[in-house]
Amino acid sequence: MTPTSNPPASSPQQSLRIFFCGHEQTPASHTCGPGIWPHYLLHYVLSGNGVFRNAGQVWRLHAGDAFLIIPGIVASYGADPQTPWEYCWVGFDGRDAKDILTLCGLTEKNPVYRTEQSFGQPMDKAAVSCPHESPAGACLLTLNESFYRDTGNIYLHLSLLYRFFSLLAPQAGASPDSPSGYIRQATEYIRHNYAYDIKIQDIAHNLGIDRSYLYKLFSRELCTSPQQFLIDYRLHMAKHLLSSTTLHISEIANSCGFTDSASFCRHFRAQFSITPSQFRREPGNAPVKP
């Protein structure tokens, strides 16, 4: 099938933008590259076998695997001469693309997803025996069909791509129910909610675990308490605002989740042995006035 495409986005501000996608049963020994691409190019193998080469490394892949071509890095890939692969692909970019791919376990050092490498979990037999019917394979095939048929429905296209990422992420990172998985979720919750009047109980409730267990996890994994991590993160963001904006001290306190200026100044001084106003007056910390 001929790949369908939209013109590249001119604005880098979009969180995610799909440029094109496609589906192909390749001929035996068919190769592509070596070369570089201007955006991320993700392939999911539906059947057959092939080889992916990236930055001097070589991977032999089969049904259920996926490989990522990273912008600006020389890569090539080729079908097996005996059992050439069939795959679907999607080209995309955006300001959130790298973070999303990292959460899926796809990075510059590790641009390959393998079905059987599920952190001790059983192999996804559906993805290997009939990848067209596996959730991941079906998702990208649906995206390809929709991209060609519903050309103006970009939110439908994006929802299918996010769905595909969601199918990779649980197997590519720490299990959500593992200690490191809980820590990741807790710190992510804090980073997105530090500006609000959140309590440690709110974090534990969001994770579905007991507050005392959350405390034990933070003490063991990060050598600090959840409360102190929250305060430290708020102070970290406050220092950034002090040196990069002309906001009043009370406005910064409110923006970083402190109940009042006095509480903010007390925590700031306890942490840095200096008041927020004194910090702002130090060389290099004064914000540039418009």
Side-chain angles (χ1 to χ4, degrees), residues 17-167:
R17 169 68 186 268
I18 301 174
F19 296 143
F20 62 88
C21 57
H23 168 219
E24 183 178 11
Q25 170 64 68
T26 65
S29 302
H30 172 76
T31 61
C32 187
I36 61 173
W37 282 257
H39 44 251
Y40 291 104
L41 186 58
L42 181 61
H43 289 70
Y44 181 81
V45 184
L46 296 168
S47 64
N49 302 282
V51 174
F52 173 53
R53 294 178 172 84
N54 178 81
Q57 293 181 284
V58 180
W59 290 266
R60 298 188 180 280
L61 306 176
H62 53 72
D65 293 340
F67 62 93
L68 176 70
I69 293 175
I70 297 173
I73 295 181
V74 176
S76 66
Y77 51 101
D80 185 85
Q82 303 300 324
T83 55
W85 51 16
E86 175 191 7
Y87 49 53
C88 41
W89 71 86
V90 56
F92 61 94
D93 212 331
R95 68 171 185 270
D96 294 337
K98 183 176 181 180
D99 290 339
I100 293 171
L101 290 164
T102 299
L103 289 174
C104 292
L106 293 168
T107 63
E108 184 173 333
K109 292 183 177 179
N110 181 41
V112 166
Y113 166 87
R114 290 187 182 276
T115 301
E116 69 267 24
Q117 295 178 347
S118 304
F119 293 84
Q121 300 301 314
M123 181 183 295
D124 182 357
K125 294 181 180 179
V128 176
S129 62
C130 192
H132 289 79
E133 297 181 5
S134 74
C139 189
L140 281 193
L141 286 170
T142 303
L143 170 59
N144 181 65
E145 294 171 3
S146 171
F147 201 79
Y148 177 74
R149 183 182 64 242
D150 308 313
T151 55
N153 199 340
I154 61 172
Y155 296 113
L156 172 61
H157 307 156
L158 287 172
S159 71
L160 289 166
L161 182 56
Y162 276 111
R163 168 64 176 161
F164 179 75
F165 290 143
S166 76
L167 295 169

Side-chain angles (χ1 to χ4, degrees), residues 15 29 63 113 123-124 132 139 162-163 167 171 176 178-179 188 191 199 207 212 215 218 231 241 252 265 273 287:
S15 60
S29 302
Y113 166 87
M123 181 183 295
D124 182 357
H132 289 79
C139 189
Y162 276 111
R163 168 64 176 161
L167 295 169
Q171 299 186 64
S178 69
E188 191 72 11
R191 291 187 179 99
K199 306 293 190 295
L207 271 60
S212 60
Y215 178 86
F218 267 76
I231 292 172
L241 292 177
I252 292 177
C265 292
S273 301

